[in-house]
Amino acid sequence: MEYIPLEKNSCYAPCSQLLAELGYRLVELTVVPQKESTKIQAVVASADTSKEIGVQDVAKAHRALLPKLMALLGKTEDDIYMEVSSPGMERNLKNAAEFQVFTGKEVRVWDKTVNDWVTGFIKSADTASVTLSKDGSDVTVTFENIAKAKFIHE
């Protein structure tokens, strides 16, 4: 699994800060310029990993993000097509940087070194590995050894 810093997108930091003030975390932000408009996709989660995010939360995040992104990109509302969504209950983590966003969340990762799923709560993560905690023991898996990762939803 590749680690791509979320801040690589120049709009990420100001949008993330805005959402943090509202009690949300920006998980993913994609800005794609097209012929006549700019397509934006944002994934937003609750700052409290024990809480799920609802439709009203997504709408609130959309209302906050749209003017911010218009200002950052120098676009009008007519020039932007934006979708904001929640990460979903069984999200596949696409970028290893997401582990830091979801500290405290229960996940499972396919560890290529043992050819099996390793499950646990995300205890910590850095740019090279994630540490999962389950039943009092910790397991650290490097991102290069993770084939895939997803939330566990009961």
Side-chain angles (χ1 to χ4, degrees), residues 26 28-32 39-43 81-84:
L26 185 57
E28 184 180 341
L29 182 65
T30 307
V31 178
V32 181
K39 183 177 179 182
I40 299 169
Q41 291 181 299
V43 178
Y81 171 76
M82 187 167 78
E83 294 177 1
V84 179

Side-chain angles (χ1 to χ4, degrees), residues 59-79:
K60 184 176 178 182
H62 186 283
R63 286 190 301 274
L65 283 173
L66 185 59
K68 183 70 160 181
L69 286 163
M70 287 185 332
L72 290 169
L73 299 170
K75 303 281 184 182
T76 68
E77 193 170 350
D78 294 335
D79 299 330

Side-chain angles (χ1 to χ4, degrees), residues 8-142:
K8 185 176 181 181
N9 178 332
S10 62
C11 294
Y12 180 85
C15 290
S16 179
Q17 181 179 356
L18 172 68
L19 291 177
E21 292 169 9
L22 299 174
Y24 304 115
R25 286 188 168 179
L26 185 57
V27 176
E28 184 180 341
L29 182 65
T30 307
V31 178
V32 181
Q34 296 179 331
K35 287 182 183 178
E36 297 176 11
S37 65
T38 299
K39 183 177 179 182
I40 299 169
Q41 291 181 299
V43 178
V44 179
S46 174
D48 180 352
T49 56
S50 68
K51 294 182 180 177
E52 299 296 328
I53 191 166
V55 174
Q56 291 180 346
D57 296 308
V58 171
K60 184 176 178 182
H62 186 283
R63 286 190 301 274
L65 283 173
L66 185 59
K68 183 70 160 181
L69 286 163
M70 287 185 332
L72 290 169
L73 299 170
K75 303 281 184 182
T76 68
E77 193 170 350
D78 294 335
D79 299 330
I80 292 178
Y81 171 76
M82 187 167 78
E83 294 177 1
V84 179
S85 63
S86 73
M89 295 188 304
E90 295 184 7
R91 178 179 176 81
N92 291 322
L93 282 74
K94 302 173 190 171
N95 175 0
E98 292 181 38
F99 285 104
Q100 292 172 318
V101 174
F102 293 113
T103 300
K105 191 92 170 154
E106 188 174 17
V107 296
R108 64 182 184 160
V109 300
W110 183 265
D111 185 343
K112 295 187 275 189
T113 62
V114 295
N115 286 323
D116 200 2
W117 290 104
V118 177
T119 62
F121 292 89
I122 301 171
K123 184 175 184 179
S124 64
D126 56 28
T127 59
S129 64
V130 61
T131 300
L132 303 177
S133 180
K134 185 158 187 172
D135 300 328
S137 63
D138 296 346
V139 176
T140 299
V141 183
T142 61

